[in-house]
Amino acid sequence: MRVRILLATLLWVTLGIGGVWYSATRLFAKHVEQSYHEELEVHIKELAALVRVGPGGNLGMDRPLSDPRYLVPLSGFYWQVSLDGRETMRSASMTRGSLDESVAHDSSIHHHVESGPTGPAITYGLIRRVPGVGDVHYVIATDERLLDETIARFERELVVWLAALAAALVATGIVLVTFGLHPLDKLTAATARLRSGAATRLEGDYPTEIAPLVADLNAFIDHNRTTVERARVEAGNLAHALRTPLAVITDEAERLSQDTRTADAAGVLLTQSQIMVQQIEFRLARARSAASARGPGTTSRVCEALPPLLSAMRRLHPDKTFDTSIPDGLDTTVPIDAVDLSELLAILLDNAGKWSREAVTVGLARTDGTLQIRVLDDGPGLTAKQVTEAFKIGTRLDPAMPGSGLGLAIAQDIAAAYGLTVDLGARADGKPGLEALVTIPGRPPADG
Ligand SMILES: Nc1ncnc2c1ncn2[C@@H]1O[C@H](COP(=O)(O)OP(=O)(O)OP(=O)(O)O)[C@@H](O)[C@H]1O
Ligand SMILES: [Mg+2]
């Protein structure tokens, strides 16, 4: 938009200034030429009036022409009077050369550009017949360069002024664009803050033209947040409400399984109930967290979430060590709700604690704005096939270890809600064990 407006301004200024330059120079040249010609006509009439032709054909003058430039040698202003080639009189300025007396051939004034004593000259001539003596040729000439110089001087000055005017216009255009589009810049920045999680609404005051848009957007964001919040509470309530009837069904099925006649049917009931319990626990865990309620504008810091988690893990798995290394100055801000971040990390840390032999390490790194969290353990690890299985609800690959098989499914769900990835695989350093890699895209917010 900015570039378009500036280009349009530039084009307009160029056209306008070009037009002014063209018409001004044309007008001025025309005007100067006209006044030159008028002046020369006056001069030649004055000359014709001043020169006296004696009866013997001798030429004389009562006084010089009123314009003093005809007296200065080679000034560019010349006159010449001749009597049929016999007698010739010249202006004092014409210290060399002569003017072509054939410019005129009758009593009206004619003009041409001829070569004069000092270059091409605008030459005026007229002829008067003196009875008994012959034709007197009056010629007056002015160097053409004087006219050209005047026009050139004007053009030079005009160019300077027009250039200054163009610069002023373009500067005004830039200032207008900068000031005029400032609210849009502000809106862009506010949107960026919203996306990055630094703000929960579009902040700032806006001019009346875009204020309604901003208000609508904010209303939409608020409405969205309350809708999601309500849905989240409803889902939690529903899951919670199903728990008790399910517990009654499970109890009843267990009672029926004692009887050999109903044992098979009871077994089916128990398995299905178990699946339902897992589903409910999973949904409840998700509804409790803010993942699904996440609006724009949530952030947390991994470096703040980790310490309490690690100390909890040390208590939960007292025979394992938990270590972390956070590079100095690393921005660990991520666009994830703090509760969800803690839950995600707790799932991975708990698994690592459960299956490691002795050590769990957490590493953080940022590349191109993407934050990577690595949870490494020195346990048995998982094959690629087992990894796919492990993410499913209720999968427990190691029956010897207590658990509900929901952890990784929840982790996957949180990751999907935030557009993150959770990958399990062999450790990058080649040591035995499992590496859980969480990749969190999104640049850190501008204000950290
Ligand atoms: N770090 C690990 N090393 C080896 N196996 C693992 C590791 N993490 C997960 N697994 C395997 O993946 C399965 C699924 O993990 P998940 O966290 O979903 O469930 P869980 O830990 O068994 O139960 P819950 O986390 O719900 O208490 C685990 O039962 C385990 O067999
Ligand atoms: Mg687990």
Side-chain angles (χ1 to χ4, degrees), residues 346-356 375-382 386-387 389-399 401-411 424 433-436:
I347 288 165
L348 300 177
L349 285 169
D350 180 51
N351 284 355
K354 282 204 282 197
W355 280 282
S356 68
V375 180
L376 310 175
D377 67 56
D378 53 2
L382 291 170
Q386 284 176 319
V387 167
E389 281 300 306
F391 280 109
K392 290 180 183 158
I393 294 175
T395 306
R396 290 172 58 217
L397 300 169
D398 179 3
M401 198 64 87
S404 60
L406 293 179
L408 288 176
I410 294 174
L424 300 183
L434 190 79
E435 172 175 308

Side-chain angles (χ1 to χ4, degrees), residues 158-172:
L158 187 71
V159 163
V160 171
W161 282 108
L162 287 183
L165 180 66
L169 286 176
V170 169
T172 314

Side-chain angles (χ1 to χ4, degrees), residues 21 150-164:
W21 176 82
T150 311
I151 295 172
R153 211 165 34 240
F154 171 79
E155 276 182 16
R156 271 198 303 276
E157 269 178 42
L158 187 71
V159 163
V160 171
W161 282 108
L162 287 183

Side-chain angles (χ1 to χ4, degrees), residues 285-298:
R286 296 312 306 125
R288 264 200 306 272
S289 97
S292 48
R294 168 197 174 235
T298 27

